[in-house]
Amino acid sequence: MMDNEKSSDTSEPDVPSDSLADVAPCLQVDEPPVHVVLYQPEIPQNTGNIGRTCVAVGAKLWLVRPLGFKIDEHSVRRAGVDYWHMLNLQLVDSIGEVQQALPQRKFWYFSRFARRSLWEAEIDLGDAIVFGRESAGLPEEILDLDSPQAIRIPTTEQVRSLNLSNTAAIAVYEVLRQHGRLG
């Protein structure tokens, strides 16, 4: 368990080799089917829910500091993350660190302002899906709204945006659906 969000330890927690295979035998555990990147997340419950989704499908969760909460044992337990020890987690200080760690992967940037719909994107297994802060989204230096890799989940005009954990779950399962990995 990490001491807090300022920790320089970016090692991944140990994951029992058969834990995900027992739950989801159709998913390959060795290579994450998708990398979920949360840029400076602010709400621990959202991060906890996204972590649960990642554990459910074998995805890797990247958290870009600074975090708006602590991820020490007490804070994690308070957010209801009793499976945190099974999460394939990496803490980093910048989005550039994630890009450097995954040089052969595409990065897909989610924004409610993107022009392209998730349903139009062909996301490859192993690609990274990137989400911004709950309060502000992704900053301009990361998000290019004109890029074909800037995508959104369509909603009616009555809704400003979807909850971050809902958006991440929809995106993760859409990647799996596109590749016949649900079953």
Side-chain angles (χ1 to χ4, degrees):
M1 203 63 58
M2 305 294 159
D3 289 334
N4 63 44
E5 72 275 4
K6 302 285 186 200
S7 171
S8 62
D9 180 11
T10 59
S11 62
E12 299 173 21
D14 292 331
V15 177
S17 61
D18 62 345
S19 62
L20 293 175
D22 291 342
V23 176
C26 65
L27 299 174
Q28 182 181 359
V29 179
D30 297 334
E31 180 67 26
V34 65
H35 294 267
V36 178
V37 182
L38 302 184
Y39 178 82
Q40 300 179 354
E42 299 166 318
I43 301 173
Q45 292 81 359
N46 283 338
T47 301
N49 287 335
I50 293 166
R52 181 186 309 248
T53 298
C54 289
V55 170
V57 302
K60 182 169 183 172
L61 179 60
W62 299 77
L63 299 179
V64 180
R65 294 182 185 107
L67 308 181
F69 51 89
K70 293 182 179 183
I71 57 172
D72 60 15
E73 185 175 346
H74 172 73
S75 300
V76 167
R77 189 178 322 116
R78 185 171 180 204
V81 188
D82 56 351
Y83 50 84
W84 197 255
H85 66 282
M86 296 186 293
L87 179 60
N88 185 353
L89 172 67
Q90 183 85 31
L91 291 169
V92 295
D93 292 317
S94 71
I95 192 78
E97 286 183 51
V98 184
Q99 293 165 330
Q100 190 173 37
L102 303 171
Q104 304 301 318
R105 304 298 184 191
K106 278 188 185 173
F107 282 69
W108 299 88
Y109 302 94
F110 279 76
S111 170
R112 67 184 173 130
F113 302 111
R115 291 163 182 74
R116 188 173 184 199
S117 165
L118 169 62
W119 319 132
E120 300 168 11
E122 294 180 19
I123 302 173
D124 291 329
L125 288 175
D127 281 356
I129 55 176
V130 183
F131 304 91
R133 290 184 214 117
E134 288 92 339
S135 65
L138 290 167
E140 288 181 15
E141 61 267 16
I142 295 174
L143 176 66
D144 174 4
L145 290 173
D146 293 322
S147 167
Q149 287 170 245
I151 54 180
R152 64 181 168 74
I153 294 176
T155 64
T156 64
E157 292 180 13
Q158 289 80 19
V159 175
R160 181 179 67 250
S161 64
L162 294 175
N163 174 277
L164 179 63
S165 63
N166 293 338
T167 301
I170 291 166
V172 165
Y173 277 93
E174 173 59 12
V175 172
L176 297 176
R177 187 203 63 77
Q178 286 182 11
H179 295 280
R181 299 288 293 268
L182 300 176

